[in-house]
Amino acid sequence: MAERSGVRAVLLAGGEGRRMGPLGTGRLKPLVPYGGACRLIDFSLANARASGLAEVLLLSQYEERLLMDDLHRVWNRDAGFRVHFGPYDDVYRAAGDALPRELPERTWPAERGTADALIRKAGHVFGGDPEQVLVLHSDHVYRFDYGPLIAEHRAGGAALTIAYQRIERRWVHLFGMVDFDRAGRLTAFVEKPAEPTSDLVFAAFCVFDAAVLHRYLEKLDGTDWQHDISRDVIPAMLAGGEDIRGHEVVGHWEDIGTVERYHRAHLMLAAAGPRAGLPVERMPRTVRPGVDRGWVADSPGVVASLIPADLVNEGRVEHSVLFPGVTVGADARVRRSVLLPGATVRPGQVVDSAVVLENGHVQRVEDTAAVTEGTRT
């Protein structure tokens, strides 16, 4: 369990989900349903709670009210853990289990990127003089105890400790490439390199020395920068000669950046079943939590699929992931697809390699069965 004292955990949640196509239309990317069990943002929050952290500061950039209302309903019921909403937090605390009727008028400029969100709300990030700042993102799928990462960072006295994972080099160009010397110090950090020279990638969460982070944010503010942790802050610290170390992430971790990766990750979950690197039993349960769900290998009407206990199925489901509330009509066939909560497949309809939205819209996805670059276990 992570020691709570001295650590400020911040969750960067900016995405509009433009690369998610219809799946991201009308919904915030952090709230995209995942794995038949939860939403993307729930992984980082569940990890923080399980790591012994009592609070996570939300730094959102797009449709803040919608995201805060949702997280307040879902996550702020637990007396031992809550999401802090920065300049809006007082009104949410005052609302109790309800939602605030109005929010305070915005008095700060809109953030233009992940790092910009940190400096624009610096009073909430650095107020109280935390020793470390744990930076998390809202669109990565993994379960992880941040405790050893924080402990290693403290013991080593580094300015920054970044989580990394080793993958096949042919896929490194999709991520932030990192490399270390024999002493374990970071020597290279390149966002989406054209010609990778390392098989190590940044896992998008890290622990900063709070004072060092604040100093670099102030140094970059007002310059011609991209307002991004990976593109600006970490490279600036590397160029400045700061002591940056790595902490290896072993196990399942994936970045859900596009609808193709989203679809592919679900196909792999359906294919692996109980052998999945992150089975449904280890996912947060935030989507209709009272409904049981599990993997079915082969039964009448279902083959190698993750299904909810409340599924109404009069057709055939194969190699798919279904959320609670789904109905599959008579003689319908669902294959290699993801059906979101409450989706209905009409009688006789054939759905193949697609994502079916709550309103029944079918978002077809290019066949990705043989492609695995989006998932690492």
Side-chain angles (χ1 to χ4, degrees):
M1 300 290 279
E3 181 181 344
R4 299 180 183 184
S5 176
V7 179
R8 177 69 38 76
V10 301
L11 177 58
L12 303 175
E16 295 181 54
R18 294 179 181 178
R19 293 188 297 163
M20 303 294 278
L23 177 60
T25 301
R27 95 173 84 230
L28 304 176
K29 183 183 178 184
L31 299 181
V32 168
Y34 187 86
C38 59
R39 297 84 51 81
L40 292 176
I41 197 170
D42 295 324
F43 286 97
S44 289
L45 291 171
N47 290 339
R49 181 174 63 184
S51 298
L53 296 165
E55 185 175 84
V56 172
L57 172 63
L58 178 72
L59 297 180
S60 53
Q61 297 169 261
Y62 177 71
E63 293 285 2
E64 288 180 302
R65 177 73 198 248
L66 292 177
L67 184 56
M68 291 187 297
D69 282 358
D70 180 279
L71 297 182
H72 186 64
R73 283 191 297 258
V74 174
W75 283 96
N76 287 356
R77 309 296 192 208
D78 183 349
F81 179 83
R82 77 183 309 274
V83 182
H84 190 289
F85 299 124
Y88 303 114
D89 199 61
D90 286 346
V91 296
Y92 277 94
R93 285 182 183 271
D97 290 340
L99 296 175
R101 302 179 76 175
E102 295 182 359
L103 298 185
E105 183 179 353
R106 189 183 184 100
T107 59
W108 58 95
E111 297 86 3
R112 289 171 286 178
T114 56
D116 206 42
L118 289 165
I119 194 63
R120 298 303 161 215
K121 295 174 181 172
H124 298 282
V125 176
F126 301 104
D129 296 323
E131 298 173 14
Q132 292 86 31
V133 176
L134 170 67
V135 175
L136 310 173
H137 287 76
S138 61
D139 53 2
H140 300 99
V141 173
Y142 67 113
R143 294 307 309 267
F144 189 81
D145 180 1
Y146 301 125
L149 168 65
I150 295 168
E152 184 177 309
H153 173 83
R154 287 174 164 172
L160 168 64
T161 303
I162 64 172
Y164 71 90
Q165 192 169 66
R166 188 180 303 275
I167 67 171
E168 292 183 62
R169 186 168 295 189
R170 58 178 175 153
W171 306 128
V172 171
H173 71 280
L174 298 169
F175 305 95
M177 183 192 75
V178 299
D179 206 357
F180 302 89
D181 63 19
R182 291 185 178 180
R185 292 182 172 85
L186 184 73
T187 58
F189 191 104
V190 183
E191 187 70 10
K192 298 181 179 178
E195 297 182 4
T197 57
S198 168
D199 60 355
L200 305 179
V201 296
F202 180 39
F205 59 97
C206 53
V207 183
F208 289 89
D209 176 276
V212 174
L213 173 60
H214 201 181
R215 184 170 73 248
Y216 275 88
L217 289 171
E218 291 182 326
K219 181 178 179 181
L220 289 165
D221 191 29
T223 67
D224 183 20
W225 63 313
Q226 299 178 68
H227 312 277
D228 189 84
I229 292 287
S230 297
R231 291 181 171 87
D232 299 293
V233 179
I234 297 178
M237 291 179 63
L238 183 60
E242 301 293 345
D243 185 4
I244 304 175
R245 303 298 181 104
H247 181 92
E248 187 173 7
V249 176
V250 178
H252 187 98
W253 181 93
E254 58 190 315
D255 178 359
I256 304 297
T258 65
V259 69
E260 289 79 14
R261 289 188 195 173
Y262 178 86
H263 182 245
R264 181 186 308 119
H266 283 85
L267 294 188
M268 296 183 71
L269 176 60
R275 301 184 305 279
L278 182 59
V280 68
E281 291 80 14
R282 294 194 60 221
M283 295 184 191
R285 187 71 64 86
T286 57
V287 174
R288 305 192 189 184
V291 179
D292 289 336
R293 60 214 77 189
W295 188 74
V296 174
D298 190 4
S299 70
V302 178
V303 175
S305 295
L306 178 63
I307 64 168
D310 65 353
L311 171 65
V312 177
N313 180 24
E314 296 180 344
R316 186 169 178 82
V317 176
E318 302 173 354
H319 311 290
S320 297
V321 175
L322 278 57
F323 281 80
V326 164
T327 298
V328 178
D331 300 320
R333 183 176 180 185
V334 175
R335 180 176 179 271
R336 295 169 50 78
S337 295
V338 185
L339 275 59
L340 298 194
T344 295
V345 178
R346 299 187 306 274
Q349 185 177 8
V350 175
V351 175
D352 196 341
S353 298
V355 177
V356 182
L357 307 186
E358 293 92 337
N359 62 4
H361 175 87
V362 177
Q363 180 175 358
R364 301 206 176 276
V365 185
E366 182 180 354
D367 190 345
T368 55
V371 186
T372 59
E373 74 268 28
T375 303
R376 308 203 292 281
T377 57

